[in-house]
Each structure stands twice: as C-alpha cells, then as structure tokens.
Amino acid sequence: MNGTKFDTLREQVRGQVITPGDADYDAARAVHNGMIDKHPAAVVRVSQVADVMSAVNFARDNSLDLAVRGGGHSGPGFGTWDDAVVIDFSTTTGVRIDPANKTARTEAGATWADFNHATHAFGLATTGGIIGSTGVSGLTLGGGIGYLSRKHGLSCDNLLSADVVTADGKFLTASESENDDLFWALRGGGGNFGVVTSLEYRLHPVDMVHAGIIIYPAEHAETVAKFYREHLAAAPEEFGAFLAFHQGPPVPFLPEQWHGKPVCIVVGMWTGDLAEGPARWQPFLDVAPVAGSMVGPMPYPALNSAFDPMYPKGLLAYWKAAFLTELNDGAIDAHLEFGRRVPSLQTAVHIYPIDGAVHRVGVTDTAFPNRNARFSPVIACHWEDPADSEANIAWVRDYAAALQPYSETAGYINFMDGDDMSKVAENYGPNYSRLREIKAKYDPQNLFHVNQNITPA
C-alpha cells in the first residue's frame, strides 16, 4: 500500500502516520537490533488509546500484518515487520505514582529508566530489567526477570491490571476481578492477546541499595561460579545478584590491562539494611583474586541503568535462553568453555536467579510456567561489524546446545530469537492449551502474530 492509502488512518488518529517516502521513515522503522531491516507499510506513533483502536481496526480491515513496539528491544525485531502497520508507543512514556497505595500506572512506551526515575522519587520500585532502555510492557508480558526477582517476584507477578485493545478494536481492562482470563494470559503470554496501552504495578520500598559489581580474571571463574551457587542458595532474598561472563568493560574501577579480556563477574545488590551491605558482599571479595570492583551504596535506578552506555541502539544482536533447576557442575563447565570465548565487548552471558518469591507463585497461577527453575541463563550476543555475524550466531547456538543437557525443556520467552518459534509450545508447557483457548477468545484470527506466537485453539 502506498502512503496515500493511509490518508483515512491519518484522519482518524492524532499521532503521526509515517510511510515510505517520508523523511523520517528510516528512523521510524528502526528497532534496537541492528540486524533487523524491515520495511513496514506505516509506522503509527500513537498519542492515545483512540489512536491504537484506529490502527488496530485499520490493519484488520485491510488485511495488513500488525506489529507493536514499546521499547523496541525485542531480539527478533518484533517491533517492526515488512508491509505491516506498526503501532509505535515511543511518544507515550508517562508514569504516574500513587504513593499512598504504593502503585504505579505506566503508559506502554515507558522504559525501565522512565519507570525507575518516577518511582524512585517516592522511595519505591518493582522488579524491572537489567538495561534501563528496555521497554516496561514487553519485559512484563514475557515474565520479567530482574534484580528484585528473589525478593519481589517477576515483573508480571507485580502487575495489578492492564488496559488492552483487542483484535476487534474494543478497549478492555484486565485484572483479577475483570476479564481475569485475559489478565492470566498477559502475565507471561507476551503480546498475543491484544495491544496493552497501560499497565498498573504493585510497588515496594526500594530506595538506596548496597550494590556490587565484582570482576574476576577468567582463570578463577570455576571457583567463583561454584561459590556463587552455594552462597546464593543460603542467602536472604534481599540479596539479588547474577553471575556473568563478559569481556572486561572499560570502566574506571577495572585496570586497563583487563579491558577486553575474558572475565567472570558477579553483579547485584543488597536491599536490606544498608549497614549490612559490606558484610553481604565481603565473601565475594574474598573468594578469589579480584581484577576490579565497585561495591557500595547507590540509588536503585543507578544500578538498573549502569550498563546502558554499552548497549546503544543499532548493535547487531542474537540471543538464546534457558532455565536450570540447578546450576550443576555440568552447566558450569559449559559456561566455562564458552564464557571464556565471549566474542565481543558488548556480549553478555548472564545467569539470573529466579528462586524465592518467584517460587511462591504456582506453575499455573500465571501464564509464566517456569516456577520450579532456580536460574535462567541468557546468552545475549551483541556486536558491531556485520562481517562477524555468522561466527557470533554460531557461537550462541553452540553455547545453547552445550547447556541443553542441563536445561529444562522451556526457555525464557523474552530472550527467544526469531528461529525459536517452533519451541513456543514447549516454552509454555502445561499452560499452552489454556493460552490457546484464551487466544481463540480474544484474537481468533491471530491478528497479533508478530511475536512468539500462540495460535488460536
């Protein structure tokens, strides 16, 4: 469809409708992953819910594919699509706090940096991602693992309600008391059931935290990994930290001799009494020789966005993820083998803990079923030169294959890539049949298929 075909839609929305030939089309079609080069028919920068309803109706009535973009961080680039209508929330980023009830209502385009900035003013937070530029809505709909998971559960566990535009263009609110089947599906089922236009969250008292970023030479990674496994099993839930494999980042507290070299890292925070912070981190400073460290009090949003400068929009990216019921010696060996060969400065291999509060939610209580796993390793490869793409993708696939014998059948939806579509049923396990039924109720024609797609029953 050429640009003039969208004149009807332009008359129906207050936002901007951008089509090929418009000066800002190339910027509008770009998502975070520089490997994605899609050419949508139109990008609709919505300004309000009415725009979303019009865009959904237009796409459906004209038999056009529909993509939805919040933060644009989707590894497979699901925030855009060839010849599709793209609903772009980049101009709707408001966050409103109710400090008395400890809740937050956020628009669908907000990032976790937006969200944390708003909530921190009141000494409050909820579980968010590791990168501040990640979209709030996308992370939540896929589950939402973060620093606060052990203490406060996943992002989706803290979701209280969501406003949704469904495939028939209707506006619904989903919560425990209203459209509860839809609410169940949204908490882990991704963008399969409608366009979420706002989300309401439960907040928790989180203000200053005692953060730690401790970097070790790769030769000590086995010692660190086994200590991390044992220490975390006994640590209070206020201690949230992940194990990581990187190239040494160019940060002030790491001597230059380690920049770009293979390293093992422990990153996280203590959210209990700040006075206990030094003692909580000292075991990690003692377990092995440290190449560099930064340990001390800081505002929670500062840690939550500490790595943002390393991940600008446009890096090439390819991801895989898994779930582990235990970080056994076999899984550690696989990480040691591949973690020492991290191919780029921006590549991040993180092993996130998801025990504690995550386990206090039942397997079928939300669409996110992975309540028995204790860790979620993610392999997020990022690089700059397209000439490195083939080798880096092969490294990710080989790494994931090496972890597979120690992993659960399911993987983390938020880190599935475009070639993982065949695993959707496995990823949802015992919840897949119910998700298909709910999909059939709210989106029987599968209008919302540009995602890790759940087909209607």
Side-chain angles (χ1 to χ4, degrees), residues 176-219:
E176 290 283 8
S177 60
E178 192 173 0
N179 300 302
D180 60 325
D181 57 345
L182 178 58
F183 184 58
W184 179 89
L186 293 175
R187 288 175 290 166
N192 275 283
F193 309 96
V195 184
V196 174
T197 60
S198 73
L199 307 97
E200 181 189 17
Y201 293 88
R202 179 187 303 109
L203 301 177
H204 310 275
V206 180
D207 191 355
M208 295 293 291
V209 300
H210 205 101
I213 304 174
I214 304 176
I215 304 175
Y216 310 87
E219 65 194 78

Side-chain angles (χ1 to χ4, degrees), residues 120-449:
H120 185 68
F122 299 91
L124 300 168
T126 202
T127 305
I130 305 300
I131 302 297
S133 56
T134 301
V136 170
S137 53
L139 187 86
T140 301
L141 295 176
I145 297 171
Y147 291 110
L148 294 170
S149 295
R150 299 188 72 228
K151 178 65 175 176
H152 298 301
L154 305 173
S155 302
C156 70
D157 298 336
N158 290 280
L159 187 67
L160 296 174
S161 69
D163 291 336
V164 187
V165 175
T166 52
D168 55 5
K170 293 181 178 178
F171 176 83
L172 301 176
T173 296
S175 69
E176 290 283 8
S177 60
E178 192 173 0
N179 300 302
D180 60 325
D181 57 345
L182 178 58
F183 184 58
W184 179 89
L186 293 175
R187 288 175 290 166
N192 275 283
F193 309 96
V195 184
V196 174
T197 60
S198 73
L199 307 97
E200 181 189 17
Y201 293 88
R202 179 187 303 109
L203 301 177
H204 310 275
V206 180
D207 191 355
M208 295 293 291
V209 300
H210 205 101
I213 304 174
I214 304 176
I215 304 175
Y216 310 87
E219 65 194 78
H220 301 295
E222 182 176 5
T223 298
V224 172
K226 291 182 177 179
F227 175 79
Y228 170 84
R229 175 183 65 192
E230 303 306 322
H231 185 86
L232 198 74
E237 292 173 5
E238 288 81 1
F239 188 80
F242 62 85
L243 178 69
F245 295 88
H246 281 256
Q247 291 185 7
V251 292
F253 59 87
L254 183 66
E256 190 172 350
Q257 71 190 79
W258 295 107
H259 293 184
K261 300 292 178 58
V263 295
C264 174
I265 309 179
V266 175
V267 183
M269 61 187 187
W270 167 256
T271 61
D273 184 349
L274 280 179
E276 294 183 37
R280 292 294 176 182
W281 281 107
Q282 192 61 46
F284 286 94
L285 295 169
D286 295 339
V287 67
V290 173
S293 66
M294 182 178 69
V295 179
M298 68 171 61
Y300 168 66
L303 178 62
N304 201 237
S305 59
F307 303 107
D308 288 15
M310 291 182 61
Y311 298 99
K313 187 175 183 179
L315 287 177
L316 310 179
Y318 185 75
W319 300 349
K320 294 293 177 196
F323 288 109
L324 307 176
T325 54
E326 59 176 331
L327 186 59
N328 60 28
D329 289 351
I332 288 176
D333 287 345
H335 281 296
L336 295 177
E337 178 186 354
F338 286 89
R340 289 168 175 156
R341 295 190 276 116
V342 169
S344 69
L345 187 64
Q346 300 92 347
T347 291
V349 178
H350 292 173
I351 304 169
Y352 299 124
I354 53 169
D355 56 352
V358 179
H359 286 190
R360 290 194 288 275
V361 179
V363 170
T364 60
D365 288 351
T366 68
F368 183 92
N370 311 106
R371 303 293 179 169
N372 298 318
R374 292 191 59 224
F375 297 96
S376 179
V378 300
I379 309 163
C381 191
H382 300 83
W383 63 98
E384 298 179 4
D385 188 348
D388 296 330
S389 295
E390 184 176 354
N392 288 349
I393 290 171
W395 175 81
V396 173
R397 288 174 174 166
D398 290 345
Y399 200 147
L403 278 178
Q404 194 277 329
Y406 315 103
S407 303
E408 296 295 289
T409 303
Y412 183 31
I413 286 292
N414 281 342
F415 272 84
M416 295 287 103
D417 218 297
D419 53 3
D420 289 316
M421 299 292 282
S422 63
K423 300 179 181 179
V424 171
E426 293 179 342
N427 292 335
Y428 287 111
N431 292 335
Y432 186 61
S433 293
R434 185 180 177 192
L435 284 165
R436 291 193 67 200
E437 292 171 1
I438 296 171
K439 175 76 169 182
K441 176 179 176 180
Y442 290 98
D443 184 18
Q445 301 304 314
N446 204 12
L447 177 65
F448 304 110
H449 65 269

